[in-house]
Amino acid sequence: MPEQWRFDLLKKNTTEKARERRGQLARNLFTADPQVDGARILLLDDTFTTGGTMASAAFALKERGATCVVGLSFGRQLGSDWNDNKELISTLPDRDLIIGDCVVHNKGRAHFGAIF
């Protein structure tokens, strides 16, 4: 069991939106605190789109000396026009997106019974 969860060991250096650097490793996107040296890090993110943000954060942590970085995201964004998602999307049941049921588009107020 970890002694303490820390939320202040990684700082984002820009306010630019992820779509500006989608899918790219941005080496200076994050700065990791020197205290991560030798640490095992669990990196949490709300949404995984292309992995660029997660990879950039992991890069900064490893560069600063973290021995292990494991990334976990709670959601995966899919685009029907993304070649690597076409097969996965084709396996999903046919259903329309109801924007009012989407937590992202409805300012965090989703009707979960309608999603599942």
Side-chain angles (χ1 to χ4, degrees):
M1 182 67 84
E3 293 178 27
Q4 177 182 354
W5 291 98
R6 296 285 306 271
F7 302 99
D8 58 344
L9 297 175
L10 190 65
K11 178 184 171 250
K12 191 172 181 184
N13 296 324
T14 182
T15 57
E16 93 178 355
K17 297 292 184 188
R19 71 177 51 94
E20 303 299 322
R21 58 184 151 64
R22 187 80 62 215
Q24 299 174 6
L25 175 64
R27 294 179 184 269
N28 296 316
L29 183 61
F30 293 97
T31 300
D33 190 287
Q35 293 181 49
V36 304
D37 187 29
R40 294 176 295 163
I41 305 291
L42 175 60
L43 184 60
L44 302 174
D45 197 4
D46 60 345
T47 305
F48 183 95
T49 304
T50 63
T53 302
M54 182 94 59
S56 298
F59 178 84
L61 291 161
K62 291 290 287 183
E63 187 176 53
R64 192 58 94 161
T67 57
C68 177
V69 178
V70 175
L72 174 67
S73 65
F74 296 98
R76 171 76 167 103
Q77 183 169 335
L78 302 174
S80 60
D81 59 336
W82 298 350
N83 287 331
D84 60 336
N85 290 328
K86 287 182 180 181
E87 183 178 343
L88 174 61
I89 290 172
S90 71
T91 66
L92 299 173
D94 289 330
R95 60 181 173 199
D96 293 328
L97 171 64
I98 302 169
I99 292 295
D101 290 340
C102 176
V103 70
V104 173
H105 293 93
N106 198 13
K107 296 184 171 79
R109 298 179 305 272
H111 181 260
F112 291 102
I115 295 173
F116 302 106

